[in-house]
Amino acid sequence: MRSAALAVIALCFIPQALAQLGPPVETRRANAPQQTPAFEGQTRAPSSATLPPMEGAVVADDLPGLWAMEFLPNGRMLVTAKTGALHIVDRAGNLGPKIPGVPAVDARRQGGLLDVALSPDFATDGLVFLSFSEPRGRDGNGTSVARGRLEIGDGNAAILRDVSVILRQTPSYRGTMHYGSRLAFAPDGTLFVTTGERSDRGVRGQSQDLLSGLGKIFRINPDGSVPANNPFVGDSAALPEIWSYGHRNLQSAVVTAAGDLWTVEHGPRGGDELNRPLAGRNYGWPIITYGINYSGTEVGRGITAQAGMEQPIYYWDPVIAPSGMAEYVGDEFPEFSGALLVGGLAGQVVAVLHVEGDRVAREDRIPLPGRIRDVKVGPDGAIYVVTDGRGAPSRILRITRAPTG
Protein backbone atom coordinates (compact mmCIF):
# COMPACT_ATOMS: atom_id res chain seq x y z
CA MET A 1 0.00 0.00 0.00
CA ARG A 2 1.49 3.32 -1.07
CA SER A 3 0.52 5.71 1.66
CA ALA A 4 1.47 8.62 3.86
CA ALA A 5 1.05 8.04 7.60
CA LEU A 6 0.11 10.78 10.01
CA ALA A 7 2.99 13.01 11.03
CA VAL A 8 5.43 10.98 8.91
CA ILE A 9 6.70 11.97 5.47
CA ALA A 10 6.37 8.69 3.58
CA LEU A 11 6.28 9.66 -0.08
CA CYS A 12 7.73 12.31 -2.32
CA PHE A 13 5.47 14.40 -4.53
CA ILE A 14 5.63 14.02 -8.31
CA PRO A 15 3.35 16.31 -10.33
CA GLN A 16 0.29 14.43 -11.48
CA ALA A 17 1.06 14.92 -15.16
CA LEU A 18 4.26 12.91 -14.66
CA ALA A 19 2.82 10.27 -12.36
CA GLN A 20 2.96 6.63 -13.40
CA LEU A 21 0.63 3.84 -12.37
CA GLY A 22 1.33 1.44 -9.54
CA PRO A 23 -0.30 -1.85 -8.55
CA PRO A 24 -3.75 -1.88 -6.91
CA VAL A 25 -3.72 -0.89 -3.26
CA GLU A 26 -5.96 -3.85 -2.38
CA THR A 27 -4.00 -7.09 -2.11
CA ARG A 28 -6.22 -9.21 0.15
CA ARG A 29 -8.15 -12.20 -1.17
CA ALA A 30 -11.64 -11.32 -2.43
CA ASN A 31 -14.66 -12.55 -0.50
CA ALA A 32 -16.35 -13.54 -3.75
CA PRO A 33 -13.46 -14.54 -6.05
CA GLN A 34 -15.86 -16.40 -8.36
CA GLN A 35 -17.49 -13.12 -9.43
CA THR A 36 -16.20 -11.36 -12.53
CA PRO A 37 -16.23 -7.56 -12.94
CA ALA A 38 -18.44 -6.27 -15.74
CA PHE A 39 -15.59 -4.21 -17.20
CA GLU A 40 -11.90 -3.58 -16.68
CA GLY A 41 -11.16 -1.34 -13.72
CA GLN A 42 -14.52 -1.87 -12.01
CA THR A 43 -12.60 -3.04 -8.96
CA ARG A 44 -8.94 -2.97 -7.87
CA ALA A 45 -7.99 -0.07 -10.10
CA PRO A 46 -4.28 0.74 -10.30
CA SER A 47 -2.78 3.17 -7.82
CA SER A 48 -0.74 6.28 -8.44
CA ALA A 49 2.96 5.50 -8.42
CA THR A 50 3.48 8.18 -5.79
CA LEU A 51 1.51 10.23 -3.31
CA PRO A 52 2.34 13.68 -2.01
CA PRO A 53 4.07 13.83 1.39
CA MET A 54 1.45 14.22 4.10
CA GLU A 55 1.27 14.80 7.79
CA GLY A 56 -1.63 14.90 10.20
CA ALA A 57 -2.60 16.70 13.35
CA VAL A 58 -5.39 16.30 15.89
CA VAL A 59 -7.69 19.32 15.68
CA ALA A 60 -10.06 18.19 18.42
CA ASP A 61 -10.02 15.18 20.74
CA ASP A 62 -12.28 13.51 23.34
CA LEU A 63 -15.40 14.30 21.33
CA PRO A 64 -18.70 12.51 22.00
CA GLY A 65 -19.15 9.82 19.32
CA LEU A 66 -19.47 12.00 16.21
CA TRP A 67 -21.23 11.07 12.96
CA ALA A 68 -20.84 14.14 10.73
CA MET A 69 -19.16 17.52 10.40
CA GLU A 70 -19.90 20.65 8.39
CA PHE A 71 -17.85 23.84 8.16
CA LEU A 72 -19.50 27.10 9.19
CA PRO A 73 -18.61 30.27 7.23
CA ASN A 74 -16.29 31.49 10.01
CA GLY A 75 -14.13 28.34 9.94
CA ARG A 76 -15.73 26.71 12.96
CA MET A 77 -17.31 23.29 12.60
CA LEU A 78 -20.84 22.08 13.26
CA VAL A 79 -20.79 18.44 14.39
CA THR A 80 -23.43 15.82 15.15
CA ALA A 81 -23.05 13.40 18.04
CA LYS A 82 -24.79 10.09 17.47
CA THR A 83 -26.52 10.20 20.85
CA GLY A 84 -28.54 13.20 19.67
CA ALA A 85 -26.48 16.33 20.33
CA LEU A 86 -25.42 19.09 17.95
CA HIS A 87 -22.30 21.10 18.84
CA ILE A 88 -19.98 23.78 17.50
CA VAL A 89 -16.24 23.04 17.55
CA ASP A 90 -14.11 26.15 17.25
CA ARG A 91 -10.83 26.43 15.35
CA ALA A 92 -8.86 25.73 18.52
CA GLY A 93 -10.69 22.41 18.94
CA ASN A 94 -12.93 23.45 21.82
CA LEU A 95 -16.33 21.75 21.99
CA GLY A 96 -19.27 24.05 22.60
CA PRO A 97 -22.35 23.15 24.67
CA LYS A 98 -25.24 21.10 23.31
CA ILE A 99 -27.36 23.18 20.97
CA PRO A 100 -31.04 23.22 22.06
CA GLY A 101 -33.78 22.46 19.57
CA VAL A 102 -32.52 19.16 18.11
CA PRO A 103 -35.31 16.59 17.51
CA ALA A 104 -35.43 13.40 19.61
CA VAL A 105 -33.54 10.45 18.09
CA ASP A 106 -33.49 6.66 18.42
CA ALA A 107 -29.78 6.16 19.07
CA ARG A 108 -29.71 2.38 19.34
CA ARG A 109 -27.10 0.58 17.24
CA GLN A 110 -26.77 2.44 13.90
CA GLY A 111 -29.36 5.08 14.73
CA GLY A 112 -29.00 8.56 16.20
CA LEU A 113 -28.39 12.11 15.05
CA LEU A 114 -26.66 11.51 11.75
CA ASP A 115 -25.83 13.96 8.95
CA VAL A 116 -25.79 17.75 8.96
CA ALA A 117 -25.81 20.15 5.99
CA LEU A 118 -25.98 23.92 5.71
CA SER A 119 -28.42 25.62 3.39
CA PRO A 120 -26.71 26.92 0.22
CA ASP A 121 -27.99 30.34 1.41
CA PHE A 122 -26.89 29.83 5.01
CA ALA A 123 -25.23 33.25 5.17
CA THR A 124 -28.65 34.86 4.77
CA ASP A 125 -31.22 32.28 5.94
CA GLY A 126 -29.23 30.48 8.69
CA LEU A 127 -30.92 27.15 7.89
CA VAL A 128 -29.40 23.86 9.01
CA PHE A 129 -30.63 20.44 7.83
CA LEU A 130 -30.33 17.31 9.99
CA SER A 131 -30.97 13.67 9.19
CA PHE A 132 -31.75 11.33 12.07
CA SER A 133 -33.41 8.08 13.08
CA GLU A 134 -36.76 9.31 14.32
CA PRO A 135 -38.57 7.35 17.05
CA ARG A 136 -42.18 6.71 15.95
CA GLY A 137 -43.74 4.91 18.89
CA ARG A 138 -45.34 1.54 18.20
CA ASP A 139 -44.49 1.80 14.49
CA GLY A 140 -40.75 1.72 15.21
CA ASN A 141 -38.51 4.34 13.63
CA GLY A 142 -37.23 5.63 10.32
CA THR A 143 -34.90 8.09 8.65
CA SER A 144 -36.21 11.65 8.79
CA VAL A 145 -34.90 15.07 7.84
CA ALA A 146 -35.51 18.22 9.86
CA ARG A 147 -34.50 21.79 9.31
CA GLY A 148 -34.12 24.70 11.68
CA ARG A 149 -32.61 28.16 11.89
CA LEU A 150 -29.27 28.28 13.70
CA GLU A 151 -28.68 31.32 15.88
CA ILE A 152 -25.08 31.52 17.06
CA GLY A 153 -24.49 33.33 20.33
CA ASP A 154 -21.40 34.11 22.36
CA GLY A 155 -18.45 31.75 22.14
CA ASN A 156 -19.54 28.36 20.83
CA ALA A 157 -23.11 28.59 22.12
CA ALA A 158 -26.05 28.46 19.72
CA ILE A 159 -29.73 27.52 19.51
CA LEU A 160 -31.78 25.85 16.78
CA ARG A 161 -35.14 27.57 16.27
CA ASP A 162 -38.25 26.95 14.17
CA VAL A 163 -37.43 23.26 13.78
CA SER A 164 -39.71 21.17 11.56
CA VAL A 165 -39.50 17.71 9.98
CA ILE A 166 -39.60 18.06 6.18
CA LEU A 167 -39.20 14.41 5.13
CA ARG A 168 -40.05 11.05 6.68
CA GLN A 169 -38.95 7.75 5.15
CA THR A 170 -41.86 5.31 5.20
CA PRO A 171 -42.78 2.69 6.14
CA SER A 172 -41.49 2.87 9.70
CA TYR A 173 -39.75 -0.27 10.92
CA ARG A 174 -38.87 -1.82 14.26
CA GLY A 175 -35.19 -2.25 13.49
CA THR A 176 -31.96 -0.48 14.36
CA MET A 177 -29.89 -0.83 11.18
CA HIS A 178 -29.29 0.76 7.78
CA TYR A 179 -30.60 4.30 8.00
CA GLY A 180 -28.43 5.68 5.17
CA SER A 181 -28.80 9.36 5.94
CA ARG A 182 -26.41 11.52 3.93
CA LEU A 183 -27.54 14.96 2.75
CA ALA A 184 -26.21 16.71 -0.37
CA PHE A 185 -27.41 19.92 -2.00
CA ALA A 186 -27.47 20.25 -5.80
CA PRO A 187 -26.58 23.50 -7.61
CA ASP A 188 -30.29 24.15 -8.26
CA GLY A 189 -30.94 24.18 -4.50
CA THR A 190 -32.67 20.80 -4.32
CA LEU A 191 -31.62 18.36 -1.62
CA PHE A 192 -30.63 14.73 -2.10
CA VAL A 193 -31.34 12.44 0.86
CA THR A 194 -29.98 8.90 0.99
CA THR A 195 -31.78 6.15 2.88
CA GLY A 196 -31.08 2.53 3.79
CA GLU A 197 -33.27 -0.55 3.24
CA ARG A 198 -33.23 -1.40 6.98
CA SER A 199 -31.03 -4.51 6.53
CA ASP A 200 -33.33 -7.38 7.47
CA ARG A 201 -34.20 -9.92 4.78
CA GLY A 202 -37.91 -9.49 5.39
CA VAL A 203 -37.87 -5.83 4.31
CA ARG A 204 -34.78 -5.24 2.20
CA GLY A 205 -36.60 -6.27 -0.96
CA GLN A 206 -38.61 -3.06 -0.60
CA SER A 207 -35.66 -1.24 -2.12
CA GLN A 208 -37.22 -2.43 -5.43
CA ASP A 209 -40.70 -1.18 -4.45
CA LEU A 210 -41.41 2.33 -5.72
CA LEU A 211 -44.19 2.78 -3.16
CA SER A 212 -41.74 2.19 -0.30
CA GLY A 213 -39.14 4.65 0.94
CA LEU A 214 -36.64 1.93 1.89
CA GLY A 215 -33.38 1.78 -0.06
CA LYS A 216 -33.92 4.97 -2.04
CA ILE A 217 -32.37 8.31 -2.84
CA PHE A 218 -34.88 11.13 -2.47
CA ARG A 219 -34.74 14.57 -4.08
CA ILE A 220 -36.75 17.32 -2.40
CA ASN A 221 -36.94 21.07 -2.23
CA PRO A 222 -35.56 22.75 0.92
CA ASP A 223 -39.09 23.05 2.33
CA GLY A 224 -39.76 19.33 1.80
CA SER A 225 -41.93 19.71 -1.29
CA VAL A 226 -41.25 17.61 -4.39
CA PRO A 227 -39.51 19.13 -7.44
CA ALA A 228 -41.79 19.05 -10.47
CA ASN A 229 -39.07 17.42 -12.62
CA ASN A 230 -38.44 14.41 -10.37
CA PRO A 231 -38.52 11.19 -12.44
CA PHE A 232 -41.66 9.66 -10.88
CA VAL A 233 -43.83 12.74 -10.50
CA GLY A 234 -47.30 11.89 -11.81
CA ASP A 235 -46.78 8.13 -11.49
CA SER A 236 -49.42 6.73 -9.13
CA ALA A 237 -47.29 3.60 -8.62
CA ALA A 238 -44.32 5.49 -7.19
CA LEU A 239 -43.43 7.98 -4.47
CA PRO A 240 -42.80 11.31 -6.20
CA GLU A 241 -39.79 12.18 -4.02
CA ILE A 242 -37.78 9.19 -5.31
CA TRP A 243 -34.74 9.98 -7.44
CA SER A 244 -33.26 6.46 -7.74
CA TYR A 245 -33.86 3.07 -6.16
CA GLY A 246 -32.42 -0.40 -5.57
CA HIS A 247 -29.92 0.80 -2.96
CA ARG A 248 -28.68 -0.95 0.19
CA ASN A 249 -27.27 1.48 2.78
CA LEU A 250 -25.96 4.78 1.45
CA GLN A 251 -23.71 6.54 3.97
CA SER A 252 -21.57 8.52 1.50
CA ALA A 253 -22.80 11.19 -0.91
CA VAL A 254 -21.51 14.35 -2.52
CA VAL A 255 -22.58 16.67 -5.31
CA THR A 256 -19.47 17.70 -7.21
CA ALA A 257 -18.55 21.09 -8.60
CA ALA A 258 -19.80 19.80 -11.98
CA GLY A 259 -23.23 19.22 -10.42
CA ASP A 260 -23.09 15.40 -10.41
CA LEU A 261 -24.36 13.29 -7.52
CA TRP A 262 -21.92 10.55 -6.46
CA THR A 263 -22.64 8.01 -3.74
CA VAL A 264 -20.95 5.08 -2.05
CA GLU A 265 -23.09 2.50 -0.30
CA HIS A 266 -22.37 -0.28 2.13
CA GLY A 267 -22.74 -3.53 0.25
CA PRO A 268 -22.75 -7.07 1.57
CA ARG A 269 -19.45 -8.83 2.30
CA GLY A 270 -17.40 -7.78 -0.72
CA GLY A 271 -19.88 -5.43 -2.38
CA ASP A 272 -19.39 -1.77 -1.38
CA GLU A 273 -20.35 0.33 -4.42
CA LEU A 274 -19.53 3.68 -6.00
CA ASN A 275 -22.37 5.00 -8.16
CA ARG A 276 -23.36 8.18 -9.96
CA PRO A 277 -27.11 7.81 -9.45
CA LEU A 278 -29.20 9.05 -12.36
CA ALA A 279 -32.87 9.98 -12.32
CA GLY A 280 -35.22 7.01 -12.26
CA ARG A 281 -32.52 4.32 -12.48
CA ASN A 282 -32.56 0.99 -10.63
CA TYR A 283 -29.27 0.10 -8.89
CA GLY A 284 -30.16 -3.51 -8.33
CA TRP A 285 -30.17 -4.35 -4.62
CA PRO A 286 -30.97 -7.03 -3.54
CA ILE A 287 -31.47 -8.73 -6.93
CA ILE A 288 -27.98 -8.07 -8.25
CA THR A 289 -24.89 -7.30 -6.20
CA TYR A 290 -21.23 -8.06 -5.90
CA GLY A 291 -20.17 -9.86 -2.74
CA ILE A 292 -21.93 -12.36 -0.49
CA ASN A 293 -23.96 -12.34 2.71
CA TYR A 294 -21.95 -11.97 5.90
CA SER A 295 -23.00 -15.53 6.71
CA GLY A 296 -21.05 -16.66 3.65
CA THR A 297 -24.13 -17.52 1.56
CA GLU A 298 -25.10 -16.01 -1.78
CA VAL A 299 -27.29 -12.93 -1.89
CA GLY A 300 -30.48 -14.02 -3.64
CA ARG A 301 -29.53 -15.98 -6.76
CA GLY A 302 -25.94 -14.80 -6.54
CA ILE A 303 -26.09 -12.80 -9.78
CA THR A 304 -24.20 -9.58 -10.48
CA ALA A 305 -26.02 -8.29 -13.58
CA GLN A 306 -29.53 -8.13 -14.98
CA ALA A 307 -31.20 -6.15 -17.76
CA GLY A 308 -32.71 -2.88 -16.57
CA MET A 309 -30.37 -2.61 -13.56
CA GLU A 310 -27.30 -0.43 -13.33
CA GLN A 311 -23.75 -1.64 -12.76
CA PRO A 312 -21.72 0.12 -10.08
CA ILE A 313 -19.00 2.33 -11.46
CA TYR A 314 -16.63 0.74 -8.92
CA TYR A 315 -16.82 -1.81 -6.10
CA TRP A 316 -14.63 -3.02 -3.26
CA ASP A 317 -14.05 -6.65 -2.35
CA PRO A 318 -13.10 -6.84 0.53
CA VAL A 319 -15.13 -3.86 1.72
CA ILE A 320 -13.88 -0.61 3.20
CA ALA A 321 -17.23 0.06 4.98
CA PRO A 322 -17.70 3.55 3.47
CA SER A 323 -18.95 6.56 5.38
CA GLY A 324 -18.44 10.20 4.50
CA MET A 325 -17.40 11.60 1.14
CA ALA A 326 -16.06 14.80 -0.40
CA GLU A 327 -14.74 16.05 -3.71
CA TYR A 328 -11.24 17.48 -3.40
CA VAL A 329 -11.21 21.14 -4.40
CA GLY A 330 -8.30 23.13 -3.00
CA ASP A 331 -4.67 24.16 -3.30
CA GLU A 332 -3.06 21.94 -0.64
CA PHE A 333 -3.09 18.82 -2.83
CA PRO A 334 -3.39 19.86 -6.50
CA GLU A 335 -2.67 16.28 -7.60
CA PHE A 336 -5.98 15.28 -5.94
CA SER A 337 -7.98 17.94 -7.81
CA GLY A 338 -11.45 16.61 -8.59
CA ALA A 339 -10.81 13.28 -6.86
CA LEU A 340 -13.45 11.70 -4.64
CA LEU A 341 -12.38 11.20 -1.02
CA VAL A 342 -14.23 8.34 0.68
CA GLY A 343 -13.93 7.50 4.37
CA GLY A 344 -13.55 3.86 5.37
CA LEU A 345 -14.76 2.55 8.71
CA ALA A 346 -13.44 -1.01 8.50
CA GLY A 347 -10.53 0.02 6.32
CA GLN A 348 -9.53 2.96 8.56
CA VAL A 349 -8.52 4.81 5.40
CA VAL A 350 -9.48 7.64 3.14
CA ALA A 351 -9.80 6.16 -0.34
CA VAL A 352 -8.78 8.66 -3.02
CA LEU A 353 -10.63 7.88 -6.25
CA HIS A 354 -9.33 9.60 -9.39
CA VAL A 355 -12.33 9.55 -11.73
CA GLU A 356 -12.15 9.97 -15.48
CA GLY A 357 -15.61 10.16 -17.01
CA ASP A 358 -17.61 7.29 -15.54
CA ARG A 359 -14.61 5.19 -14.58
CA VAL A 360 -12.16 5.09 -11.67
CA ALA A 361 -8.72 5.49 -13.25
CA ARG A 362 -6.77 5.15 -9.98
CA GLU A 363 -7.40 4.42 -6.32
CA ASP A 364 -5.02 5.54 -3.60
CA ARG A 365 -5.43 5.17 0.15
CA ILE A 366 -4.41 7.27 3.12
CA PRO A 367 -4.32 5.04 6.24
CA LEU A 368 -5.35 6.77 9.44
CA PRO A 369 -5.61 5.86 13.13
CA GLY A 370 -9.33 5.22 13.53
CA ARG A 371 -12.60 4.36 11.81
CA ILE A 372 -13.35 7.22 9.43
CA ARG A 373 -16.93 8.41 9.75
CA ASP A 374 -16.87 11.66 7.74
CA VAL A 375 -14.57 13.48 5.32
CA LYS A 376 -14.55 17.17 4.44
CA VAL A 377 -12.23 19.55 2.61
CA GLY A 378 -11.65 22.66 4.69
CA PRO A 379 -11.57 26.26 3.50
CA ASP A 380 -7.78 26.00 3.78
CA GLY A 381 -7.61 23.06 1.34
CA ALA A 382 -6.65 20.58 4.06
CA ILE A 383 -8.49 17.26 4.37
CA TYR A 384 -10.45 16.91 7.61
CA VAL A 385 -11.72 13.57 8.87
CA VAL A 386 -13.96 12.54 11.74
CA THR A 387 -13.34 9.28 13.57
CA ASP A 388 -16.45 7.70 15.01
CA GLY A 389 -14.92 6.23 18.16
CA ARG A 390 -17.12 3.10 18.34
CA GLY A 391 -17.39 3.36 22.09
CA ALA A 392 -14.29 5.57 22.43
CA PRO A 393 -14.11 9.36 22.00
CA SER A 394 -14.10 10.76 18.47
CA ARG A 395 -11.41 12.93 16.96
CA ILE A 396 -11.18 15.46 14.18
CA LEU A 397 -7.94 15.10 12.23
CA ARG A 398 -6.40 17.54 9.74
CA ILE A 399 -4.23 16.24 6.88
CA THR A 400 -1.88 18.70 5.25
CA ARG A 401 1.09 18.62 2.94
CA ALA A 402 4.30 17.77 4.76
CA PRO A 403 7.36 19.90 4.16
CA THR A 404 9.86 18.29 1.79
CA GLY A 405 13.61 18.03 2.16
Side-chain angles (χ1 to χ4, degrees):
M1 182 183 293
R2 287 162 172 76
S3 58
L6 282 179
V8 176
I9 298 175
L11 293 170
C12 295
F13 165 61
I14 294 178
Q16 194 63 51
L18 303 179
Q20 298 176 348
L21 297 181
V25 291
E26 184 58 76
T27 58
R28 295 172 294 169
R29 183 179 184 273
N31 289 298
Q34 76 281 6
Q35 294 176 343
T36 303
F39 50 84
E40 184 178 359
Q42 193 182 22
T43 191
R44 301 192 184 218
S47 63
S48 304
T50 59
L51 283 180
M54 302 178 195
E55 61 184 7
V58 178
V59 174
D61 205 350
D62 295 321
L63 301 174
L66 302 187
W67 207 90
M69 174 185 73
E70 185 73 290
F71 277 96
L72 293 164
N74 58 11
R76 291 185 288 179
M77 293 162 277
L78 194 62
V79 298
T80 62
K82 185 177 172 297
T83 52
L86 185 66
H87 299 268
I88 290 175
V89 176
D90 66 24
R91 285 175 286 186
N94 301 307
L95 182 72
K98 292 181 181 181
I99 296 174
V102 175
V105 305
D106 184 344
R108 294 174 297 161
R109 298 192 73 182
Q110 293 183 1
L113 183 60
L114 303 173
D115 206 10
V116 56
L118 302 185
S119 162
D121 299 317
F122 178 80
T124 55
D125 63 24
L127 291 177
V128 170
F129 294 75
L130 301 170
S131 63
F132 61 104
S133 52
E134 180 184 42
R136 298 175 185 169
R138 292 184 177 182
D139 292 334
N141 55 48
T143 302
S144 294
V145 178
R147 75 172 190 176
R149 182 166 44 84
L150 186 69
E151 294 183 359
I152 301 175
D154 295 333
N156 294 330
I159 188 170
L160 200 61
R161 298 189 185 277
D162 305 323
V163 177
S164 61
V165 175
I166 61 170
L167 177 70
R168 285 186 169 94
Q169 176 199 41
T170 57
S172 302
Y173 183 64
R174 294 185 181 182
T176 56
M177 303 282 282
H178 290 197
Y179 294 95
S181 233
R182 288 294 174 184
L183 305 173
F185 276 99
D188 64 1
T190 58
L191 176 63
F192 290 107
V193 181
T194 73
T195 70
E197 43 46 296
R198 305 311 309 274
S199 180
D200 295 341
R201 295 192 187 191
V203 294
R204 68 187 186 186
Q206 291 187 35
S207 63
Q208 291 292 318
D209 182 354
L210 291 173
L211 288 174
S212 167
L214 307 189
K216 307 297 190 297
I217 296 176
F218 296 132
R219 176 175 177 256
I220 58 174
N221 293 314
D223 62 358
S225 62
V226 175
N229 59 349
N230 267 11
F232 297 107
V233 167
D235 185 345
S236 61
L239 299 176
E241 60 266 31
I242 292 175
W243 175 259
S244 61
Y245 63 108
H247 299 289
R248 187 173 182 269
N249 187 26
L250 298 129
Q251 290 191 7
S252 303
V254 67
V255 175
T256 64
D260 296 324
L261 172 67
W262 289 84
T263 63
V264 183
E265 64 188 81
H266 286 263
R269 187 178 174 190
D272 290 347
E273 293 185 1
L274 170 73
N275 289 295
R276 187 167 69 88
L278 301 177
R281 301 289 180 89
N282 182 353
Y283 289 83
W285 178 258
I287 297 172
I288 65 169
T289 185
Y290 291 92
I292 56 177
N293 286 311
Y294 277 88
S295 64
T297 60
E298 290 184 338
V299 178
R301 294 189 290 131
I303 61 174
T304 59
Q306 181 168 300
M309 297 182 179
E310 304 299 317
Q311 281 291 309
I313 287 172
Y314 196 68
Y315 72 90
W316 288 266
D317 183 1
V319 299
I320 61 170
S323 191
M325 188 176 185
E327 179 189 25
Y328 187 80
V329 178
D331 297 328
E332 188 79 0
F333 299 107
E335 61 278 23
F336 289 170
S337 181
L340 301 175
L341 310 176
V342 183
L345 292 163
Q348 299 190 18
V349 297
V350 172
V352 183
L353 304 180
H354 303 269
V355 177
E356 296 179 2
D358 279 346
R359 296 289 183 267
V360 173
R362 303 188 309 283
E363 178 190 358
D364 301 314
R365 292 187 185 178
I366 307 168
L368 293 166
R371 290 161 47 86
I372 309 307
R373 177 55 75 180
D374 201 7
V375 183
K376 289 289 187 294
V377 178
D380 55 358
I383 299 169
Y384 289 77
V385 301
V386 172
T387 66
D388 81 337
R390 201 176 198 178
S394 287
R395 286 178 162 184
I396 298 175
L397 309 176
R398 178 175 180 261
I399 303 167
T400 56
R401 196 175 207 89
T404 57

